[in-house]
Amino acid sequence: MSTDENRSTAFIERLGHEVRRRRKAGGMTVQTLADRSGLSRRMLTQIEQGTANPSLVTVDKIAHALGVDFAALSAPTSTEPLQVSEPTEVWRNDAGSRAVLHAAGSRRGGPELWEWTLQPGDRYDAEPDPPGTEELLLVTAGSLVLTADHQAVTLTPGMSARLASDRTYSYAAPTSQTTFVRVVQPTA
């Protein structure tokens, strides 16, 4: 098993453990969490058992239903003033596009540092984040087509953008492999 696969497996196991822990601490049944998140009981059970690899949108739905943010469910927690993080592959599709969480703030709604790679011709359609959420993007290779509110812009290496991500938006790599850094500041 490769290092990336080990990290993905560790992420899935950590996520399942944290969802179960927070659900039980909140006095919720699996069905209650399913109802609040809009997901099936079966999907939640598989996530808690570490046998499902949920999408970013699914993890966000669970986090919101539990009253926490994405990082609270996915990033290792520490109260140390300095924490070195291992990169964690959180999302990958069949085309080889992926999203890696490098670090997350320790408080709810703290910043998250991501590295995304999209393969040529690939696209990621995102669901709206909570109201007031913003992200910053910096393209490091290729070209990124960023679309929000029916407005599309193309960013090339060295270009950056601020996106109010509390609306439907998408990332696309039209012709070449594209890599970009994403810093998101969820609303608390």
Side-chain angles (χ1 to χ4, degrees):
M1 190 180 294
S2 74
T3 302
D4 283 346
E5 288 170 334
N6 286 337
R7 289 179 183 147
S8 290
T9 300
F11 164 74
I12 292 167
E13 290 172 358
R14 182 172 51 249
L15 174 68
H17 172 78
E18 195 59 23
V19 168
R20 181 183 305 109
R21 185 185 75 73
R22 288 179 183 268
R23 176 182 59 77
K24 287 183 175 183
M28 283 187 260
T29 65
V30 173
Q31 186 61 55
T32 301
L33 183 56
D35 292 343
R36 288 184 183 177
S37 64
L39 301 171
S40 71
R41 273 188 61 206
R42 180 177 180 182
M43 171 60 84
L44 284 170
T45 299
Q46 289 174 337
I47 290 169
E48 286 189 3
Q49 293 173 344
T51 59
N53 187 2
S55 70
L56 298 175
V57 170
T58 298
V59 177
D60 267 341
K61 287 179 179 181
I62 296 168
H64 293 256
L66 290 169
V68 298
D69 60 14
F70 183 94
L73 294 181
S74 58
T77 57
S78 173
T79 57
E80 296 297 319
L82 175 62
Q83 178 184 349
V84 177
S85 302
E86 288 283 329
T88 303
E89 183 178 272
V90 175
W91 172 78
R92 176 185 288 271
N93 69 10
D94 293 338
S97 295
R98 64 190 219 142
V100 176
L101 179 62
H102 283 276
S106 61
R107 62 179 171 73
R108 182 172 183 216
E112 301 168 4
L113 176 62
W114 293 82
E115 179 182 14
W116 281 67
T117 302
L118 293 177
Q119 296 303 321
D122 210 357
R123 175 185 174 103
Y124 181 84
D125 294 308
E127 296 288 322
D129 291 324
T133 301
E134 291 186 332
E135 60 184 64
L136 304 175
L137 303 157
L138 172 64
V139 176
T140 57
S143 63
L144 175 69
V145 176
L146 177 61
T147 305
D149 287 340
H150 307 290
Q151 176 188 3
V153 296
T154 300
L155 305 172
T156 56
M159 292 180 74
S160 58
R162 181 191 55 80
L163 169 68
S165 58
D166 56 358
R167 63 208 70 231
T168 302
Y169 62 97
S170 67
Y171 310 128
T175 58
S176 61
Q177 180 174 298
T178 300
T179 305
F180 60 99
V181 174
R182 174 182 179 246
V183 176
V184 63
Q185 179 75 44
T187 55

